[in-house]
Amino acid sequence: MKRIIVILTTIGALIAVFIGAAIVRNTNEKEPTMKNSKTLIVYYSRTGNTKAVAELIQEKVGGDLVQIETKEARPANYQEEVAQNEQEQTEQIVPELKTNVAHFDSYDRIFIGAPTWNMALPQAVTAFLSEYDFAGKTVVPFNTHGGYGVGSVFSQIEKGTNGADVLEGISIKGGEETKGVLLAIKGNEKNKVSNKIDAWLKEIQQQ
Ligand SMILES: Cc1cc2nc3c(=O)[nH]c(=O)nc-3n(C[C@H](O)[C@H](O)[C@H](O)COP(=O)(O)O)c2cc1C
């Protein structure tokens, strides 16, 4: 009888040790996933301003940088792009994209950058939003504009990323192609924008 009790106690102790080890292993496995939260910075840019902001964000938070590109080349001429974009927005035409984000599911924080076009989101970005599932992800919008502001860019990003936790975005004055100013976020202006981005990232607790 004594022997049976000893055997049973030993088996019990061994089971407890196994369960304990499994719990510890599980906890340890979870930690790195939290720490290595994967970041994607995706942006659309014609004249480089939104791209400059995207690159600054990447310098500060790391992650992968992806440019949204259409299959068909966009008009190089400003007035032609204005006209084509307006038609696409009015008729809700979305251009086909060349861009394909590999392993999209593996990202949990996604910065989405777009310029203001006709006070709204360029349709290429609308196309991008419709192609991926953002549920459960953290979305951080950013924008550049020519002086009239963000328009409906952030609200459209929020609508297009259903189920995501959308944080407060940053909107920055970029180029004014109508006045011949293409890339404005360079040199000293880039330093100023960099400081603004630092303050914003701190405020939304992403740095
Ligand atoms: C087709 C088109 C439409 C635009 N519409 C607006 C607008 O409605 N309001 C505004 O403030 N800027 C407008 N802009 C200016 C851009 O938002 C601004 O130059 C921005 O910084 C460009 O970003 P990018 O250099 O990344 O392309 C427009 C530019 C283009 C090409």
Side-chain angles (χ1 to χ4, degrees):
M1 185 64 186
K2 222 177 169 185
R3 231 166 133 192
I4 292 171
I5 291 173
V6 170
I7 290 170
L8 284 178
T9 317
T10 315
I11 291 172
L14 282 173
I15 290 171
V17 166
F18 274 123
I19 292 173
I23 290 171
V24 169
R25 236 183 62 211
N26 237 343
T27 325
N28 284 347
E29 270 167 12
K30 266 187 187 152
E31 254 211 42
T33 351
M34 293 294 288
K35 275 187 188 149
N36 301 338
S37 112
K38 249 188 113 184
T39 300
L40 171 69
I41 301 153
V42 65
Y43 67 93
Y44 186 61
S45 188
R46 170 182 158 87
T47 41
N49 295 281
T50 317
K51 180 179 187 225
V53 174
E55 287 170 349
L56 283 169
I57 293 172
Q58 190 199 27
E59 271 175 33
K60 295 165 198 296
V61 303
D64 300 330
L65 195 62
V66 171
Q67 176 164 19
I68 298 172
E69 287 176 289
T70 53
K71 260 192 190 152
E72 252 182 60
R74 305 291 306 184
N77 179 277
Y78 173 75
Q79 289 306 340
E80 276 177 35
E81 179 57 283
V82 168
Q84 186 172 325
N85 169 64
E86 203 179 330
Q87 193 193 3
E88 285 173 348
Q89 286 174 338
T90 312
E91 296 174 17
Q92 295 184 10
I93 299 164
V94 283
E96 263 191 78
L97 299 185
K98 189 159 80 180
T99 310
N100 180 41
V101 179
H103 311 298
F104 183 83
D105 286 351
S106 67
Y107 294 102
D108 30 46
R109 177 171 63 166
I110 303 170
F111 288 79
I112 304 173
T116 309
W117 275 15
N118 193 25
M119 294 319 280
L121 197 64
Q123 287 293 92
V125 186
T126 305
F128 179 83
L129 299 182
S130 71
E131 284 181 16
Y132 297 90
D133 180 8
F134 293 86
K137 301 188 187 293
T138 298
V139 164
V140 198
F142 61 99
N143 161 260
T144 74
H145 61 86
Y148 297 95
V150 67
S152 61
V153 167
F154 288 168
S155 58
Q156 284 182 268
I157 289 176
E158 192 157 1
K159 258 195 193 156
T161 55
N162 216 359
D165 179 19
V166 184
L167 305 186
E168 190 194 320
I170 191 169
S171 178
I172 293 167
K173 171 90 193 324
E176 280 178 89
E177 241 184 298
T178 41
K179 293 186 184 162
V181 182
L182 284 92
L183 177 60
I185 303 176
K186 59 179 180 185
N188 196 34
E189 188 55 29
K190 194 173 167 185
N191 295 338
K192 281 193 216 161
V193 169
S194 174
N195 291 338
K196 272 190 201 163
I197 293 171
D198 279 331
W200 164 63
L201 288 172
K202 223 172 156 188
E203 200 184 301
I204 60 168
Q205 299 179 339
Q206 296 301 305
Q207 200 180 30

